[in-house]
Amino acid sequence: MGDDAQLAQLSSCLQQSLSPDPAVRTQAEQFLKDGSVQPGFSMLLMRLLASEGSDATVRQGAAVTFKNLVKNNWVEKEADVVGAPAPYSVAAGEKDQVRAMLVGLMLGAPRLVQAQLSEALSIISAADFPERWPGLLPELIQRMGTPGARDFNAVVGVLTTANTIFKRYRQAYKSDELYKELKYVLDTFAGPLLELLKEVSAAIDANAANLELLVNLFKCLRLICRIFFSLNSQELPEVFEDNMDAWMGEFHKFLCYDNPALAAVDNKDREKAGAVDQVKAAICDNVNLYIEKNEEEFQRFLQTFVQDVWTLLTKTGLEPNKDHLVTSGVRFLTTVANSVHHQLFAGGDTLRQVCESIVIPNLQFREDDEELFESNHVEYIRRDIEGSDSDTRRRGACELVKGLTAKFPEVMTQSVSGYVTALLGQYAADPTNSWKAKDAAVYLVISLVVKSKSVVKGATETNDLVSITDFFTQQIAPELARAASGDAAGGTGRHVLYADALKFLTIFRSQIPKPMAIQALPAVVSLLASRENVVHTYAANAIERLLTVRDLPPAGSPPGARSQPRYTPADIQPVAQQMLQNLFGVFAMTDSSENEYAMKATMRLISFMGDGIKPIAGVCLERLSGMVMETCKNPRNPTFSHYLFESVAALVKAGAGDPGLIATFEQLLFPPFQHVLQQDVVEFAPYVFQLLSQMIESHPSALPASYMGIFPALLVPMLWDRSANVTPLVRLLEAYLRKASNEVHGAGHIQGILGVFQKLVSSRAQDHHGFFILNAFVEALPLAAWADKLPAVWGILFQRLQSSKTTKFSKCFVVFLSLLAAKHGVPSVTESMSKVQPGIFEMVLTGVVADAIANISGSVEEKVVAVAGAKFLTECPAVMAQDAAWAKLLNAVVTMMERPAEHKSEEDLDAEAEEAEARAGYSAAYNALRQAARKETDPVPDVTDPKVNLARALAGASAQQPGRIGSIVSGQCAPEVQQAIAGYCAQGGVAIQ
């Protein structure tokens, strides 16, 4: 097929990929997917992208396909399956052709196409620049043109490309390779960049009335500023330090720049920042970077820029198109306030001016905020709720107050308290029309009081000069009481104040005394029924966060004592039923059918109530199972869906061991489970597998036949091809083996499960899951049921050890081998291995096993290895006959046991909880249900202390050969190992002869 015919076919296929007909669309998508792993396909896409006569949607589709091809197939990857050929990657020659065309193609492409090509270029440059793409920077510099003869339209494109390439330096990890690359970039590009800055600056001065040209020049200037940020993100380069006067001079000039005619053009769009404001915001980001990273070198410019930014902020209005500029400017002042140069703000008058001119105006509830509150609650909540990373004027103003209060606590507390009193006075005089004054007062108090906070705990450190309980009693509790009485007068203003009260309660949940919080709880529950989305969402969030509050152990508690929940089920029992009813009511409200905060609160409440939820568990699950069925039709909100399944898991957890409840759960859950699996709802399948595992593990008696009926489907290869399914499917197989081992064996499924094991263990990414299956075999099945399969299992494992041994694989191998020996005796290992190759056990034990024991971690795994180690050292004549090998194994086992145990601090647990919450929602990777977590069991419960167990085993063996073991220990074991063994013996009341 000729090039023209191929282009025509590709063009037609791209059009069909947008077809409303699913069959046509699927076929086209498959063609593109198959093409992306064919040599020459990237160049075919490039030729189509270069064809200006092609339809715009076709070029856009080609750009997306090209970007995806680059993302998936540009960088060479190692095959995951050991021994398999490497996945397809674009050939070196084809890459050369792509790189030669890409920059020119991108610069001449329409805006939407350019955005896709820019992302592709970013991926390619990260992989190839500069070693395999040395011509990239010279080409960009050449395309910028020469001084005095530049096309600034083209310069914008070139700078956009350069910005795309250099962005990755902002977050890159420090390394010699990175600094080598940065040096090349700086040597090549920094000089021309400064030259261009000066020329653009002069052109702006010379063309003050040419608004069309000015817009382009300011686009260039903004991109220069962003490139400056990227190139200075690691540390201050010498080339920038040497030219700091020139750079800072231009930055100062443009922070003070004013062109009324251009400002009029910029301000036509009230929502989008204008060209000049974007430049000023970028300059604020740059000087903020310098005060953070290069404080000493930047110090001589600091006062000038503080004055520039201060003046700029006092002149900037409240329009939404100024938001980015204001947040960037306030962030710079906040960084200065937190630095050693905070004395620039010293003095009551200065701090008063900051509050009056910058803080108070930017804390005000604007018309745009009101519109968001009423019409776009999702965006309002995203910007405002605790834990959001969104930059807003309010957040910036609060951070500035917080920074200044940390440095000037008494003065700031006195000053801000005065403003709070004045604002509350305005509200008291006219509550209906002055509600914004109280709103600002609440935010001022929050910013004044909070020194530090976290998503998990809320405020963690507070300003002792302000009484949180007094403000709560005088200003917050009355708002909540009004809500509890059903007073909704005041429209939006009243609802905003309800939301403020809920936010205050949520942030200071650890500081507000328990009796006060419990007294406020009925009001919070009543606000769940508010028709305002923001209000019932904040109420749900407040409940969920309150139920997580924990108190430090009382004085005199033993070391290592953990914090305890502040609230008990009895505390919330009076309102629990209404709370649950109102939470379910949220999902019936407009735009809240998938309210993730309400679902998270539902999960938390069910989990918190424990056994107390049992009387209404069936009713709750009926509602939840119906929601699962409804959500399956169109999964839109991953976080909501995650907490929906967490709520189901919390109910199953509460009903564990109750035959009546489990039967009800099966009746209600099997239909949605069946729907998910039959309709292939890929997002929810991992959740279903986890819940099935939990139900099997919770079953109080023998599994009903309905469970075994679905078992064969779990061995279908297609299910295991999806990486997100692997972890929950392995757990499900383990659950079946532990609960119904006789049925699984009797139905002849052992061979099929071992087929899954073989598939998993050949994958570098999934091999540990294969060992989990083997471990379940060891613990759940009688050895006779699969002993004949063991030689084949060893053969597979030995082959993998020989061809592709990794640290992870070796650790898993040692744990499996140890578990087999600990549960079924040393002969189960030695005899089955000898059928593969006589004498191989001794080689493996003194080689792979002894070497890998040092890397074993986890209390259960360490105990299993220690127990098995004691058996190998004292029950294997072939090993005991080799003094050096025996001593090596003993050294390894003792060293492992003497390693300090890992105890996670409260901070570690908080960090884990915060990370888990951030990850909540399904993704391409597996997402665990915390409420369905399996309790870890001890495979060797008969051994209470593995150290004493080792000492007694050694003492028993030494009695058979007096003097021999003692001499090996004293002659070939490290002193610290000898000392440890002596301690074990003393503890066990035995002696080694």
Side-chain angles (χ1 to χ4, degrees):
M1 189 183 291
D3 281 359
D4 290 344
Q6 286 182 316
L7 283 173
Q9 183 184 18
L10 178 57
S11 179
S12 171
C13 191
L14 287 164
Q15 284 178 323
Q16 290 170 3
S17 70
L18 303 173
S19 170
D21 184 336
V24 173
R25 191 171 64 249
T26 301
Q27 187 176 356
E29 288 170 349
Q30 189 60 47
F31 174 87
L32 295 173
K33 184 178 178 181
D34 294 342
S36 67
V37 293
Q38 297 298 319
F41 191 68
S42 64
M43 287 307 300
L44 193 62
L45 288 167
M46 296 282 274
R47 283 195 286 274
L48 184 57
L49 284 164
S51 172
E52 294 184 5
S54 296
D55 182 82
T57 56
V58 169
R59 292 180 78 187
Q60 176 70 6
V64 172
T65 305
F66 176 75
K67 177 196 72 178
N68 290 335
L69 183 152
V70 167
K71 188 183 292 184
N72 296 322
N73 301 321
W74 192 268
V75 178
E76 293 181 11
K77 301 182 184 76
E78 187 180 36
D80 179 51
V81 176
V82 177
Y88 169 79
S89 63
V90 179
E94 191 175 335
K95 287 180 178 179
D96 289 339
Q97 291 178 288
V98 169
R99 288 189 290 255
M101 286 183 66
L102 185 55
V103 173
L105 189 59
M106 179 178 158
L107 294 179
R111 186 175 59 85
L112 292 176
V113 171
Q114 194 175 74
Q116 300 296 327
L117 293 181
S118 172
E119 195 172 334
L121 186 143
S122 176
I123 296 167
I124 294 172
S125 64
D128 295 355
F129 176 78
E131 283 83 2
R132 290 181 291 278
W133 203 353
L136 177 57
L137 282 193
E139 180 181 358
L140 291 178
I141 293 167
Q142 182 263 324
R143 286 180 180 274
M144 281 199 301
T146 54
R150 299 189 198 267
D151 174 358
F152 286 106
N153 270 319
V155 172
V156 169
V158 171
L159 291 175
T160 300
T161 304
N163 188 38
T164 298
I165 297 165
F166 302 147
K167 264 182 186 176
R168 63 190 180 87
Y169 299 143
R170 300 177 191 177
Q171 307 296 333
Y173 289 108
K174 290 177 168 58
S175 68
D176 291 342
E177 284 299 310
L178 175 67
Y179 284 123
K180 181 182 175 184
E181 181 180 324
L182 263 173
K183 184 179 186 309
Y184 165 74
V185 169
L186 292 164
D187 290 346
T188 309
F189 204 76
L193 189 68
L194 179 57
E195 221 175 72
L196 179 63
L197 170 68
K198 292 176 179 177
E199 188 174 347
V200 168
S201 177
I204 288 172
D205 293 341
N207 294 277
N210 187 342
L211 299 184
E212 186 177 344
L213 177 58
L214 281 178
V215 168
N216 258 347
L217 289 169
F218 271 94
K219 284 181 180 177
C220 290
L221 191 52
R222 177 190 165 275
L223 287 163
I224 290 169
C225 289
R226 299 313 292 152
I227 291 170
F228 176 95
F229 188 93
S230 297
L231 297 182
N232 283 271
S233 290
Q234 291 292 325
E235 57 183 38
L236 178 60
E238 189 177 337
V239 66
F240 283 103
E241 185 175 3
D242 292 345
N243 292 285
M244 196 180 289
D245 285 330
W247 282 99
M248 295 304 149
E250 297 293 344
F251 289 167
H252 166 62
K253 169 184 171 180
F254 286 107
L255 271 181
C256 302
Y257 181 84
D258 185 31
N259 184 328
L262 184 56
V265 173
D266 278 354
N267 291 327
K268 281 183 180 177
D269 188 338
R270 239 181 127 257
E271 301 298 323
K272 184 181 177 184
V276 176
D277 286 345
Q278 288 186 43
V279 167
K280 291 182 178 181
I283 292 171
C284 288
D285 290 341
N286 287 344
V287 293
N288 187 64
L289 177 71
Y290 264 48
I291 187 62
E292 283 182 333
K293 288 182 171 285
N294 312 308
E295 193 175 287
E296 186 179 337
E297 295 85 354
F298 183 66
Q299 184 174 349
R300 59 197 173 97
F301 302 100
L302 183 58
Q303 190 152 1
T304 298
F305 281 107
V306 168
Q307 187 62 52
D308 289 347
V309 173
W310 184 314
T311 303
L312 179 64
L313 290 173
T314 56
K315 289 165 39 181
T316 303
L318 296 175
E319 300 82 8
N321 63 355
K322 307 289 184 184
D323 286 356
H324 183 210
L325 172 58
V326 170
T327 55
S328 295
V330 171
R331 190 187 307 115
F332 168 67
L333 294 184
T334 304
T335 304
V336 177
N338 286 319
S339 75
V340 297
H341 303 289
H342 59 270
Q343 288 300 324
L344 287 170
F345 295 100
D349 286 346
T350 305
L351 293 172
R352 180 179 54 77
Q353 289 173 35
V354 171
C355 290
E356 287 184 3
S357 304
I358 298 172
V359 173
I360 302 292
N362 288 300
L363 270 179
Q364 295 294 332
F365 198 89
R366 300 175 299 168
E367 285 182 17
D368 299 272
D369 298 318
E370 196 167 342
E371 186 178 329
L372 273 183
F373 187 94
E374 294 172 344
S375 307
N376 189 353
H377 68 279
V378 173
E379 180 61 16
Y380 182 92
I381 292 165
R382 187 188 70 79
R383 292 182 183 186
D384 184 64
I385 207 162
E386 179 187 353
S388 166
D389 58 358
S390 176
D391 277 334
T392 63
R393 288 181 183 240
R394 280 193 149 190
R395 179 152 297 182
C398 288
E399 287 300 313
L400 180 56
V401 171
K402 180 175 156 186
L404 290 171
T405 303
K407 301 298 183 183
F408 311 102
E410 291 84 4
V411 178
M412 279 297 290
T413 300
Q414 183 179 359
S415 180
V416 172
S417 297
Y419 292 113
V420 169
T421 302
L423 289 165
L424 291 174
Q426 290 178 36
Y427 170 73
D430 184 3
T432 303
N433 297 310
S434 297
W435 58 268
K436 291 182 180 179
K438 182 166 185 178
D439 169 75
V442 172
Y443 273 81
L444 262 181
V445 170
I446 291 172
S447 59
L448 181 66
V449 175
V450 176
K451 288 185 176 181
S452 61
K453 64 179 181 178
S454 71
V455 174
V456 171
K457 291 186 174 180
T460 53
E461 188 180 359
T462 57
N463 181 352
D464 294 335
L465 300 176
V466 180
S467 171
I468 296 169
T469 52
D470 284 354
F471 190 81
F472 181 82
T473 303
Q474 295 163 15
Q475 302 298 333
I476 301 301
E479 292 296 339
L480 295 173
R482 191 176 287 110
S485 68
D487 178 9
T492 299
R494 175 60 53 215
H495 292 120
V496 169
L497 293 181
Y498 288 159
D500 290 346
L502 291 165
K503 180 172 183 173
F504 189 95
L505 174 61
T506 304
I507 289 176
F508 296 111
R509 56 188 177 271
S510 295
Q511 289 76 28
I512 294 171
K514 179 177 176 177
M516 284 189 185
I518 290 176
Q519 189 177 355
L521 209 49
V524 180
V525 172
S526 70
L527 286 171
L528 284 171
S530 169
R531 306 303 300 181
E532 283 291 338
N533 298 86
V534 173
V535 174
H536 62 238
T537 299
Y538 277 35
N541 187 55
I543 287 168
E544 192 276 325
R545 295 286 84 187
L546 275 171
L547 296 183
T548 64
V549 174
R550 302 178 72 86
D551 288 326
L552 293 173
S557 298
R562 295 290 188 185
S563 59
Q564 297 298 315
R566 175 176 295 180
Y567 302 98
T568 66
D571 293 327
I572 65 164
Q573 188 61 48
V575 294
Q577 190 166 345
Q578 190 64 50
M579 188 184 292
L580 200 57
Q581 185 177 324
N582 286 5
L583 281 169
F584 279 118
V586 168
F587 305 121
M589 294 186 194
T590 305
D591 294 331
S592 271
S593 61
E594 292 194 1
N595 188 310
E596 63 198 64
Y597 293 95
M599 186 50 75
K600 187 177 182 184
T602 303
M603 175 273 295
R604 189 72 66 198
L605 177 59
I606 293 170
S607 173
F608 183 83
M609 291 300 292
D611 287 345
I613 202 72
K614 283 186 176 182
I616 55 171
V619 177
C620 290
L621 192 58
E622 189 172 354
R623 296 288 300 272
L624 293 171
S625 63
M627 294 169 77
V628 170
M629 287 292 279
E630 190 61 32
T631 308
C632 282
K633 296 174 184 175
N634 183 19
R636 296 190 304 265
N637 184 337
T639 308
F640 168 83
S641 300
H642 180 83
Y643 286 117
L644 171 58
F645 283 101
E646 286 277 19
S647 299
V648 174
L651 281 173
V652 175
K653 182 179 178 182
D658 186 319
L661 275 180
I662 292 292
T664 303
F665 292 169
E666 289 165 354
Q667 183 183 352
L668 291 170
L669 290 175
F670 276 14
F673 287 0
Q674 192 172 16
H675 178 82
V676 168
L677 299 178
Q678 288 180 348
Q679 299 300 314
D680 198 25
V681 185
V682 294
E683 300 93 334
F684 291 170
Y687 292 134
V688 168
F689 297 141
Q690 290 178 77
L691 289 170
L692 277 171
S693 303
Q694 187 187 18
M695 290 170 72
I696 291 171
E697 291 158 3
S698 304
H699 222 284
S701 56
L703 281 187
S706 54
Y707 284 94
M708 292 310 301
I710 64 173
F711 189 89
L714 303 180
L715 304 180
V716 173
M718 186 186 75
L719 275 182
W720 296 88
D721 289 338
R722 293 176 182 153
S723 60
N725 285 348
V726 172
T727 301
L729 274 175
V730 167
R731 178 182 170 187
L732 185 52
L733 289 183
E734 290 180 75
Y736 272 105
L737 286 166
R738 295 176 198 277
K739 195 73 180 180
S741 57
N742 291 335
E743 290 87 341
V744 171
H745 178 237
H749 292 310
I750 298 298
Q751 192 61 49
I753 299 174
L754 287 173
V756 172
F757 148 74
Q758 187 169 2
K759 175 183 173 71
L760 294 175
V761 89
S762 67
S763 161
R764 291 182 179 87
Q766 308 285 6
D767 50 15
H768 56 293
H769 290 298
F771 280 105
F772 291 164
I773 292 175
L774 290 183
N775 293 343
F777 269 41
V778 173
E779 292 190 63
L781 287 171
L783 186 60
W786 64 295
D788 60 323
K789 309 289 193 303
L790 258 175
V793 168
W794 292 125
I796 292 167
L797 297 179
F798 293 157
Q799 186 177 3
R800 173 65 201 278
L801 277 171
Q802 190 172 9
S803 62
S804 181
K805 183 174 72 171
T806 63
T807 300
K808 180 182 70 165
F809 186 90
S810 298
K811 287 165 63 177
C812 291
F813 177 84
V814 169
V815 172
F816 163 62
L817 179 146
S818 300
L819 185 61
L820 184 60
K823 294 291 285 185
H824 297 297
V826 172
S828 67
V829 179
T830 56
E831 291 172 10
S832 56
M833 278 194 185
S834 68
K835 292 178 182 177
V836 180
Q837 180 183 322
I840 196 171
F841 167 74
E842 290 79 10
M843 290 191 293
V844 168
L845 186 67
T846 57
V848 175
V849 175
D851 292 339
I853 284 177
N855 295 315
I856 301 299
S857 58
S859 57
V860 173
E861 290 82 356
E862 289 177 9
K863 182 180 180 183
V864 167
V865 171
V867 170
K871 288 179 175 290
F872 292 138
L873 287 163
T874 60
E875 298 177 19
C876 296
V879 176
M880 295 177 72
Q882 304 174 46
D883 291 4
W886 189 89
K888 177 183 177 183
L889 182 60
L890 179 61
N891 272 309
V893 171
V894 173
T895 302
M896 177 195 71
M897 289 197 292
E898 287 301 297
R899 205 167 46 216
E902 290 184 10
H903 291 295
K904 291 180 179 176
S905 65
E906 293 277 348
E907 290 75 15
D908 293 335
L909 294 171
D910 287 344
E912 283 183 10
E914 198 158 328
E915 186 180 350
E917 290 189 9
R919 285 200 313 265
Y922 50 72
S923 63
Y926 160 73
N927 210 333
L929 293 173
R930 291 166 70 87
Q931 295 297 327
R934 184 180 64 197
K935 289 183 180 177
E936 211 169 46
T937 56
D938 186 351
V940 281
D942 51 314
V943 176
T944 54
D945 187 333
K947 295 179 178 179
V948 171
N949 178 70
L950 175 63
R952 288 174 177 165
L954 291 175
S958 71
Q960 303 299 317
Q961 303 178 48
R964 181 166 179 269
I965 288 180
S967 66
I968 298 174
V969 170
S970 60
Q972 299 191 39
C973 288
E976 58 272 19
V977 170
Q978 295 179 42
Q979 187 177 352
I981 292 172
Y984 304 165
C985 290
Q987 195 176 345
V990 294
I992 297 174
Q993 300 179 30

